[in-house]
């Protein structure tokens, strides 16, 4: 009976060692920076513009560096416009702004498959924008980035 128990314990130990080896071979979970977990603005745009200003390139470079170092991560970019103008115009501006940021990431070597694009368009209705100041409206003309693990 002692031999049977010893064999059982030896088998259990071997199973635990195999499981431990499997866990040790898996990469540790990546800590996603808190500011990238929910829609961090990475670029703002002038009214009617889709040109990415040079002052936002360091922010996008930081995002690209994070993605390069952590191949299990992907980014969802969301493009926005202020509420002035037609729905069609705002969607087009938001889409072109997304493409400008995505192009910067691709230039850094980030695969398109790891960059999801979501066109939001205007974030408020036109009536709400009538009393808004120009600086407030600029905050609506942006691209945000949310990082997640691939497939989540």
């Amino acid at each position: 009976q002692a031999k049977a128990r010893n064999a059982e314990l030896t088998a259990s130990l071997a199973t635990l060692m195999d499981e431990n080896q499997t866990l040790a071979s898996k990469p540790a979970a990546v800590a996603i920076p808190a500011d990238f977990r929910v829609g961090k603005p990475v670029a703002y745009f002038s009214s009617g513009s889709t040109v990415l200003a040079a002052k936002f390139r360091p922010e996008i470079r930081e995002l690209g560096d994070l993605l390069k170092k952590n191949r299990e991560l992907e980014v969802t970019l969301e493009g926005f416009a202020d509420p002035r103008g037609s729905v069609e115009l705002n969607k087009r501006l938001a889409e072109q702004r997304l493409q400008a940021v995505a192009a910067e990431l691709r230039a850094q070597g980030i695969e398109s498959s790891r960059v999801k694009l979501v066109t939001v368009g205007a974030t408020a209705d036109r009536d709400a924008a009538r009393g808004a100041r120009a600086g407030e409206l600029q905050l609506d003309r942006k691209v945000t980035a949310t990082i997640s693990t691939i497939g989540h």
Side-chain angles (χ1 to χ4, degrees), residues 14-34:
T15 300
L16 288 172
M17 289 175 68
D18 286 344
E19 289 174 1
N20 188 41
Q21 184 66 28
T22 300
L23 290 173
S25 67
K26 290 184 178 180
V30 175
I32 298 172

Side-chain angles (χ1 to χ4, degrees), residues 3 12 16 22-23 33 46 50 58 65 74 86 91 94 101 109 111 117 119 126 128 133 143 148 151-152:
K3 284 185 178 182
S12 293
L16 288 172
T22 300
L23 290 173
S46 296
T50 61
D65 289 345
E74 64 185 3
S86 69
K91 287 277 189 187
V101 173
E111 304 89 347
L117 305 179
T119 304
R126 255 182 273 175
R133 293 188 195 115
V143 170
S148 60
H152 291 100

Side-chain angles (χ1 to χ4, degrees), residues 83-84 124-137:
R84 298 175 299 172
D125 64 38
R126 255 182 273 175
D127 292 336
R130 286 191 183 138
R133 293 188 195 115
E136 294 168 340
L137 291 174

Side-chain angles (χ1 to χ4, degrees), residues 31-150:
I32 298 172
D35 56 345
F36 276 118
R37 289 186 196 144
V38 181
K40 177 183 181 180
V42 292
Y44 291 95
F45 294 84
S46 296
S47 181
S49 176
T50 61
V51 175
L52 182 62
K55 66 182 177 182
F56 298 112
R57 285 195 168 87
E59 187 74 31
I60 297 166
R61 193 172 310 114
E62 176 189 339
L63 173 60
D65 289 345
L66 181 64
L67 292 169
K68 280 193 270 190
K69 290 176 188 171
N70 301 284
R71 302 218 18 94
E72 64 277 14
L73 297 180
E74 64 185 3
V75 63
T76 299
L77 299 176
E78 292 184 296
F80 299 87
D82 71 39
R84 298 175 299 172
S86 69
V87 171
E88 296 80 23
L89 173 65
N90 287 333
K91 287 277 189 187
R92 189 172 68 246
L93 286 169
E95 174 65 30
Q96 291 172 351
R97 291 167 179 163
L98 281 170
Q99 293 298 335
V101 173
E104 284 290 315
L105 291 172
R106 283 193 305 274
Q108 292 181 54
I110 305 303
E111 304 89 347
S112 295
S113 62
R114 295 174 59 205
V115 181
K116 296 178 183 178
L117 305 179
V118 177
T119 304
V120 177
T123 56
D125 64 38
R126 255 182 273 175
D127 292 336
R130 286 191 183 138
R133 293 188 195 115
E136 294 168 340
L137 291 174
Q138 183 175 9
L139 296 177
D140 288 340
R141 300 185 301 266
K142 65 188 172 192
V143 170
T144 63
T146 302
I147 295 177
S148 60
T149 55
I150 292 178

